[in-house]
Amino acid sequence: MSDIETIMRTAPVIPVIVVDDIDHAVPLARALVAGGLKVLEVTLRTPAALDAIKAMKSVDGAIVGAGTVTNSTQLQQAIDAGSEFIVSPGLTEPLGKAAVASGVPFLPGIANAGDIMRGLDLGLNHFKFFPAMASGGLPALKALAAPFGQCKFCPTGGIGLDTAPQWLAFDPVLCVGGSWVSPKGAPDPAMIQALAHEAASLGR
């Protein structure tokens, strides 16, 4: 994968994945990829996350990255585990500089104009709008995007199958992040593949 825009354009929905049990990682990844969602964001919210990233990398066609990366130590751990991209809930200068220096495709979280300007200062113009619904929803992103025409977004947080099409219809939005396609617990591959297929067909 060459850059974050290529990754964001791969599918309309990026699954936001929480893995509690490493045995769930590969079946979940296989079902999501089979359903058409190849970009997988594994959040670093559980002790199993880094091992899950390593395991999911074995799934043919999967593009596996780390989410909930909040500092440069986690960034390095995620890269060492084989992450092909990095997603953070917010943007600090130390994390941003470390991510840029690493060369890994990086999608930092933003919620206001100051966050975007901090990102632009670091040479970044692709952002995760988070938490999307709690930060004012689509009207807020439209207002934020207006002065920053060079920026592209992946809204995440409170978005579901019913609201995703409205977000995807807004030109600066390349994809959305969602946890509804990867329910917690032991994966039901047939159900997850069906959810993924439904999500992959959005925005077409």
Side-chain angles (χ1 to χ4, degrees):
M1 279 289 117
S2 53
D3 59 24
I4 195 66
E5 177 149 346
T6 305
I7 291 170
M8 290 169 76
R9 288 186 182 276
T10 301
V13 179
I14 296 178
V16 179
I17 300 166
V18 178
V19 178
D20 290 303
D21 184 337
I22 188 63
D23 292 339
H24 299 164
V26 169
L28 178 61
R30 281 194 183 128
L32 288 166
V33 171
L37 300 183
K38 296 181 177 181
V39 179
L40 310 177
E41 177 192 333
V42 180
T43 64
L44 300 189
R45 298 180 195 178
T46 69
L50 292 169
D51 287 333
I53 290 168
K54 291 176 190 170
M56 288 180 171
K57 291 266 295 176
S58 69
V59 175
D60 196 38
I63 301 161
V64 187
T68 324
V69 174
T70 59
N71 57 56
S72 55
T73 302
Q74 288 182 329
L75 171 74
Q76 194 56 53
Q77 289 171 336
I79 292 170
D80 291 344
S83 299
E84 292 171 77
F85 64 95
I86 299 292
V87 183
S88 65
L91 177 58
T92 64
E93 199 170 320
L95 176 60
K97 283 183 174 175
V100 169
S102 76
V104 70
F106 179 48
L107 190 65
I110 59 93
N112 56 54
D115 291 342
I116 294 173
M117 289 162 67
R118 191 178 309 121
L120 291 172
D121 284 344
L122 292 165
L124 304 166
N125 57 11
H126 291 71
F127 301 105
K128 163 178 165 168
F129 177 51
F130 177 82
M133 291 308 296
S135 299
L138 186 54
L141 181 59
K142 285 183 173 178
L144 263 181
F148 301 108
Q150 71 274 51
C151 296
K152 304 292 184 189
F153 300 94
C154 172
T156 306
I159 296 172
L161 182 67
D162 52 339
T163 56
Q166 297 152 33
W167 291 92
L168 292 165
F170 181 44
D171 206 38
V173 170
L174 301 185
C175 58
V176 300
S179 55
W180 83 89
V181 289
S182 54
K184 285 186 187 179
D188 174 342
M191 181 188 75
I192 289 166
Q193 186 172 336
L195 288 171
H197 182 73
E198 197 174 31
S201 67
L202 294 173
R204 284 188 187 155

